[in-house]
Amino acid sequence: MALFGRPSDKEQQRADRVREWAQRQNVFAMASVVLGAISLVEFGVLLVFGIGGVATGAIALRQLAAPIGPRVGGKKLAWIGISCSVVSLLIACWVYSMKPRTHG
């Protein structure tokens, strides 16, 4: 899939490999990575993304324990999503536990 010019066979093969890889991954594992990344970017302050990342990662790991159907991959993605979410939630706990300083 070329942006400019003609698409080459090599680019098409790469696009096909990426598409096939994505189709084998568990949907909840991919959602966990996305939510974990968002929660890291906002330092877990909203809590919703971090909790959602942990929850979807846990659902993915549970589904992948007994894989059914074509979506049998994603354990690493689920663990990455859970890890990012937990780190962001720890940062949020630290931010929320800080006391404001008063001058004077």
Side-chain angles (χ1 to χ4, degrees), residues 33-51:
V33 168
V34 171
L35 291 172
I38 292 171
S39 68
L40 261 182
V41 168
E42 48 100 15
F43 296 116
V45 175
L46 293 178
L47 299 178
V48 174
F49 295 112
I51 294 169

Side-chain angles (χ1 to χ4, degrees), residues 62-74:
R62 190 163 182 113
Q63 287 180 351
L64 291 170
I68 298 172
R71 295 188 179 264
V72 296

